[in-house]
Amino acid sequence: MKSKESSNYLIYILIHIFIGLIIYFVPFLSKVYGLLILFFGTVLIFKSKNKNNEVLFIIGYVIGSEVFLRMTGGNIAHEIAKYEVIFFLFLGMLFKGFSYKSIIYILFMLLLLPGIYLGANVLGHEIDARKAILFNVLGEVTLFVSAMYCFEKKVTLEHMHFLLKALSLPIVSVLTYLFLYNPSIKDVVTSTQSNFETSGGFGPNQVSTILGLGMFCFFALLVLFSKTRKLQLIHLALLIIASFRGIVTFSRGGIFTALAMIAALIGVLYWYANAKTKNLILILSVSAVLLGGFVWTYSVVQTSGMIENRYANKDARGREKDDRLGGREEIAETEIHMFMENPIWGIGVGKNKEYREQMTGIVAASHNEITRLLAEHGTFGIVALLILLLTPLITYFTNREHVFLIPFFIFWLLTINHAAMRLAAPGFIYALTLLKVNFKDESSTAVSREPTE
């Protein structure tokens, strides 16, 4: 059985390598791939009636494929992944319902309404108010619907296993595409700035974010769900490749987030382990550090030392930079200033970009969801943020078997600080912290292995 399981999984990985390969040479097929995800996802939910929370696996796949479809032009709309997440979750709730306790997230959305109303009335005439507001709140809406579905939804550790696979398989296609797009790192690295060439011609920040998530998924699959030597080698290889390609995007946010998630998972496992297992975890930790050192050294060699300067906050000549976060500090400071001037109601959703341009001449959208909430929603934003921060941490006391809760919470918190909610990933991954995880399936229905093996 174990041999068959690893063989089937290898086939799925090879299929996703082929997807990355064929879309690189025939870009139009990316749109077909995107539409097929929507079609087969819908069919699977109606066919299964979401008996085993198949919607989580489907959305995991959507999350994993979002950046790949964006970088290859496969999305029929830029934010289509968020709409798909919302659509699939509504289908999931149609068959599976949701907990009445999730009403706290209805309060979260209600707290955002004053800022939305204000934004609709204060945006300049030259700005499309609908688009500006939707751009800024769609991430929160995605989080809200995801939280409504996931709150205390009972799943097993095996469900989490399949979910990690669903998240990571499209990232295999991303890695394949990146190597085809830019096989030689040395030829394109000439500075310490975020590198579009090593990121498949797409935004390095978003590519780094999804590769960082991939690093965590491959690590978790390696240490928790690799029952055969073949699976161990597969996940180890994918972890190394994802780490290297993530580092050479020269965008640090996704890598730091991945390292924090991995450290948190090791810490949680160590805390609950028995004495014998703790020794194994210590060996694992040392091995992870050595592996990370190898990947880092190789990255330094391939970038002629540029990556070392990048992480030391130096320019190509080794001189210290004044700006540590690529201009994000100044953007965040302007948003704090907006909040101080409008502490109760905020300045209104979508107004911060226009306001910032008037204040400083900087034309840039927010990179930090926390300061954006303060600026655009005022005190209501603070209360909404407190709901997001405290609810998963409170549920953790009655949900100790959810070993991924802290790592997922870290992903959400760190990602919204450097990439806001540009992707659907932060909202959905946040909601996964609210799942009620049991190590054993209490129902008589076995979880189907086919969709995510």
Side-chain angles (χ1 to χ4, degrees):
M1 181 63 71
K2 288 181 180 179
S3 176
K4 182 180 179 181
E5 177 183 339
S6 59
S7 296
N8 288 342
Y9 184 46
L10 180 58
I11 291 173
Y12 284 106
I13 289 175
L14 291 174
I15 288 172
H16 283 82
I17 291 174
F18 177 74
I19 289 173
L21 181 72
I22 194 66
I23 288 177
Y24 175 78
F25 289 106
V26 189
F28 172 75
L29 292 179
S30 181
K31 294 189 184 300
V32 177
Y33 174 53
L35 291 173
L36 287 176
I37 294 173
L38 178 59
F39 175 75
F40 282 111
T42 305
V43 170
L44 179 59
I45 292 175
F46 276 104
K47 184 177 180 181
S48 66
K49 300 189 186 320
N50 198 34
K51 288 181 180 178
N52 293 306
N53 288 299
E54 283 84 0
V55 69
L56 293 178
F57 313 144
I58 294 166
I59 294 175
Y61 194 88
V62 170
I63 296 298
S65 63
E66 181 179 11
V67 169
F68 179 61
L69 290 171
R70 282 188 178 184
M71 69 165 58
T72 57
N75 286 328
I76 56 176
H78 187 68
E79 301 282 8
I80 189 65
K82 292 173 183 173
Y83 290 113
E84 287 183 4
V85 169
I86 294 168
F87 169 70
F88 286 134
L89 285 168
F90 275 128
L91 289 183
M93 285 188 275
L94 178 67
F95 292 108
K96 205 83 170 179
F98 60 89
S99 171
Y100 72 91
K101 295 180 182 179
S102 63
I103 194 171
I104 187 68
Y105 289 97
I106 295 178
L107 174 60
F108 162 74
M109 279 305 299
L110 290 175
L111 287 165
L112 302 184
L113 292 181
I116 294 173
Y117 176 79
L118 185 61
N121 287 276
V122 301
L123 285 170
H125 296 295
E126 70 280 3
I127 296 175
D128 187 327
R130 184 186 64 82
K131 287 184 178 179
I133 291 173
L134 198 57
F135 174 80
N136 283 282
V137 301
L138 192 56
E140 273 75 18
V141 174
T142 303
L143 184 152
F144 161 66
V145 179
S146 300
M148 290 289 291
Y149 178 85
C150 291
F151 199 94
E152 293 195 344
K153 188 78 67 181
K154 291 184 178 180
V155 298
T156 66
L157 194 62
E158 196 68 357
H159 280 110
M160 302 306 294
H161 174 196
F162 297 146
L163 178 59
L164 290 172
K165 284 184 175 179
L167 279 165
S168 60
L169 281 173
I171 298 175
V172 174
S173 299
V174 174
L175 294 171
T176 304
Y177 186 87
L178 289 176
F179 273 108
L180 290 169
Y181 189 92
N182 171 234
S184 177
I185 302 300
K186 287 184 176 180
D187 293 341
V188 297
V189 174
T190 58
S191 72
T192 60
Q193 299 301 312
S194 295
N195 196 304
F196 281 78
E197 286 296 316
T198 60
S199 304
F202 191 64
N205 195 22
Q206 293 185 23
V207 175
S208 171
T209 296
I210 204 65
L211 291 182
L213 181 60
M215 288 169 61
F216 173 78
C217 290
F218 296 135
F219 179 82
L221 289 168
L222 173 64
V223 300
L224 293 174
F225 303 111
S226 297
K227 299 178 181 179
T228 66
R229 183 61 59 86
K230 182 188 289 185
L231 285 173
Q232 290 170 359
L233 292 175
I234 289 172
H235 291 136
L236 179 61
L238 290 172
L239 173 60
I240 292 172
I241 295 169
S243 301
F244 170 65
R245 292 304 309 206
I247 289 171
V248 298
T249 63
F250 281 73
S251 183
R252 296 164 291 186
I255 305 304
F256 285 141
T257 300
L259 294 177
M261 293 175 74
I262 289 171
L265 180 61
I266 291 174
V268 170
L269 294 176
Y270 187 84
W271 181 263
Y272 293 110
N274 56 36
K276 181 179 179 181
T277 306
K278 283 183 177 180
N279 290 331
L280 292 175
I281 293 173
L282 287 174
I283 294 172
L284 171 67
S285 301
V286 173
S287 301
V289 171
L290 293 175
L291 176 64
F294 164 75
V295 175
W296 175 256
T297 301
Y298 183 72
S299 302
V300 171
V301 172
Q302 288 296 304
T303 60
S304 303
M306 291 288 188
I307 195 64
E308 198 167 22
N309 286 342
R310 172 65 169 173
Y311 278 76
N313 198 48
K314 297 178 180 178
D315 63 18
R317 295 184 179 182
R319 297 172 299 191
E320 191 79 23
K321 293 182 181 179
D322 295 329
D323 181 5
R324 297 193 63 84
L325 299 176
R328 290 181 175 86
E329 306 102 314
E330 190 172 359
I331 293 174
E333 285 174 4
T334 62
E335 289 172 336
I336 292 173
H337 181 74
M338 295 173 202
F339 169 73
M340 297 300 291
E341 288 189 343
N342 305 271
I344 306 299
W345 301 100
I347 63 172
V349 173
K351 184 70 175 177
N352 83 79
K353 186 176 180 180
E354 179 185 356
Y355 199 107
R356 183 179 303 109
E357 185 178 2
Q358 293 172 356
M359 287 172 57
T360 65
I362 298 173
V363 181
S366 178
H367 285 271
N368 189 311
E369 201 67 18
I370 293 176
T371 55
R372 189 195 68 78
L373 278 171
L374 297 182
E376 296 188 348
H377 297 276
T379 302
F380 294 93
I382 292 177
V383 180
L385 182 61
L386 286 174
I387 290 173
L388 297 183
L389 288 170
L390 295 177
T391 305
L393 299 180
I394 292 171
T395 61
Y396 183 62
F397 291 104
T398 58
N399 197 14
R400 298 295 180 90
E401 292 185 15
H402 193 346
V403 296
F404 300 109
L405 189 153
I406 300 300
F408 285 160
F409 183 80
I410 287 173
F411 175 83
W412 166 75
L413 185 59
L414 295 185
T415 299
I416 65 170
N417 271 279
H418 74 84
M421 296 187 76
R422 300 282 198 278
L423 299 174
F428 178 66
I429 298 298
Y430 170 89
L432 296 179
T433 66
L434 305 172
L435 293 171
K436 188 76 172 179
V437 179
N438 297 309
F439 283 168
K440 294 183 179 179
D441 192 349
E442 296 176 350
S443 68
S444 59
T445 305
V447 179
S448 171
R449 290 180 178 271
E450 282 193 354
T452 52
E453 281 294 341

